[in-house]
Amino acid sequence: YDGRDRLNDFVRYDFGIDNFQVPEGTLVDDLRSWRHDVDSCDVTFVLDDGSHMSAHRLILRKRCAYFQAMFGHNMRESRLDEIPLRGVERHVLDALLEYLYTDTLMTDDNDIASIMQVFGAADLFGLHRLKIICCQCLLQSITPENCATLFLAADVHAATDLRAKTKAYLLQHFERASKTTAFEEMGRTNMDLVFEILKSR
C-alpha cells in the first residue's frame, strides 16, 4: 500500500435506538406526593399558631443537618411524635419541606417578604443551597426601595455575595435609596451599616 488510495466506504448500522421515547422522570412528583401522604408520615411539627405539619424523619435526616441532629444522639425530639417548632411560620415551613423533598423553592418570585423569611429559615436550618437560591431570587428583585432591606438581611445572615452585590447596588442608587423607609429602618436597626455605606461613597 503506497498511501495514494483511500478507502471511502462507510457503513451505517441503524439499530432503531432513535425510535425509543423515554418518558419524563417522576421522582420529584412522587416525592411531592409522598410528602403530602399524612398516613405515612412519622413526625408532626406543632407551630406557634397551633397548626400542624407532618413529614418523614428519613427525608429530614438525610437532607438537613439540623434535623439529623434533632432526631439523633438521644435527643428528646427523637422520641416524640409531635415536636414544637417555634418561630417558624406555616408557609415558611411549607417552603422548607418542599425544598427538602423536591430540591426546589416553591414560592412567588414577586413575594419578597416570603422569600426573605425562607432566606432566614434556610440560614437557621443550615440549608446552604436553599439560602443561595433565595439570594438569587432576592437579587433579581432588587430595587432602590428595597436594597437597604436586602443589604441588612444579607449582613444579618452572613450572605457574603449578596451583601457585596446589594451594597454595590445601594451605592449606585444612593440618592434614591437613602430617601426610602427601608434605609431609615436600616439606620434604626444597625447604624454601623449606614456608616459603612457613607464611608464607601
Side-chain angles (χ1 to χ4, degrees), residues 58-90:
L58 175 65
I59 292 288
L60 302 186
R61 288 185 67 174
K62 289 296 182 184
R63 297 276 290 149
C64 179
Y66 180 95
F67 289 117
Q68 185 177 23
M70 176 184 284
F71 298 137
H73 306 100
N74 295 319
M75 296 288 286
R76 183 175 65 91
E77 290 84 356
S78 66
R79 299 183 296 276
L80 297 177
D81 293 328
E82 290 191 353
I83 300 173
L85 197 60
R86 303 300 178 211
V88 180
E89 293 187 30
R90 183 176 179 82

Side-chain angles (χ1 to χ4, degrees), residues 159-171:
T160 308
D161 288 344
L162 181 63
R163 189 185 193 281
K165 288 176 172 30
T166 52
K167 179 181 177 181
Y169 185 94
L170 205 163
L171 289 169

Side-chain angles (χ1 to χ4, degrees), residues 45-149:
F45 296 106
V46 183
L47 306 180
D48 291 335
D49 63 359
S51 64
H52 295 69
M53 193 168 289
S54 299
H56 301 85
R57 292 174 194 264
L58 175 65
I59 292 288
L60 302 186
R61 288 185 67 174
K62 289 296 182 184
R63 297 276 290 149
C64 179
Y66 180 95
F67 289 117
Q68 185 177 23
M70 176 184 284
F71 298 137
H73 306 100
N74 295 319
M75 296 288 286
R76 183 175 65 91
E77 290 84 356
S78 66
R79 299 183 296 276
L80 297 177
D81 293 328
E82 290 191 353
I83 300 173
L85 197 60
R86 303 300 178 211
V88 180
E89 293 187 30
R90 183 176 179 82
H91 72 278
V92 175
L93 180 58
D94 189 48
L96 288 178
L97 292 178
E98 181 72 20
Y99 173 78
L100 291 176
Y101 278 79
T102 68
D103 228 22
T104 56
L105 173 61
M106 296 289 285
T107 186
D108 183 358
D109 290 343
N110 296 320
D111 189 353
I112 300 299
S114 290
I115 296 173
M116 289 277 285
Q117 289 179 304
V118 175
F119 172 61
D123 185 42
L124 173 67
F125 287 94
L127 297 170
H128 181 67
R129 182 174 178 274
L130 178 58
K131 187 176 170 182
I132 292 175
I133 292 173
C134 290
C135 286
Q136 185 176 18
C137 292
L138 293 172
L139 199 59
Q140 289 172 347
S141 303
I142 194 170
T143 66
E145 285 68 35
N146 67 22
C147 61
T149 300

Side-chain angles (χ1 to χ4, degrees), residues 28-44 53-57 59 94 97-98 101:
V28 170
D29 290 335
D30 292 341
L31 286 172
R32 183 175 288 122
S33 174
W34 190 46
R35 182 199 151 198
H36 295 290
D37 181 11
V38 179
D39 292 336
S40 68
C41 293
D42 57 1
V43 64
T44 299
M53 193 168 289
S54 299
H56 301 85
R57 292 174 194 264
I59 292 288
D94 189 48
L97 292 178
E98 181 72 20
Y101 278 79

